[in-house]
Amino acid sequence: MKKYVCDVCGYIYDPEIGDPDSGIEPGMAFEDLPDDWVCPDCGAGKGEFSAVE
C-alpha cells in the first residue's frame, strides 16, 4: 500500500500505521479512508494529499 503526503504540511499517511487518533486502524489504504477524513496535523482534506513514490 502506498503512503500519501499532505501537500499543505508534509504529514505522511502510512497505511501500516493508520491514524489511531482518528479511529483509523492500521492496514487501511488511503483510498479506503472516509471521504470526511482530514489531515491530523493541519486539517487538510484528502484532495490535498499526493502519493509518495
Side-chain angles (χ1 to χ4, degrees), residues 11-51:
Y11 169 84
I12 295 177
Y13 176 77
D14 183 345
E16 291 185 11
I17 297 170
D19 180 13
D21 293 340
S22 297
I24 306 299
E25 297 292 324
M28 182 171 291
F30 184 82
E31 297 83 359
D32 295 333
L33 291 171
D35 289 336
D36 61 352
W37 180 84
V38 295
C39 176
D41 286 352
C42 73
K46 284 177 63 177
E48 300 293 325
F49 279 73
S50 299

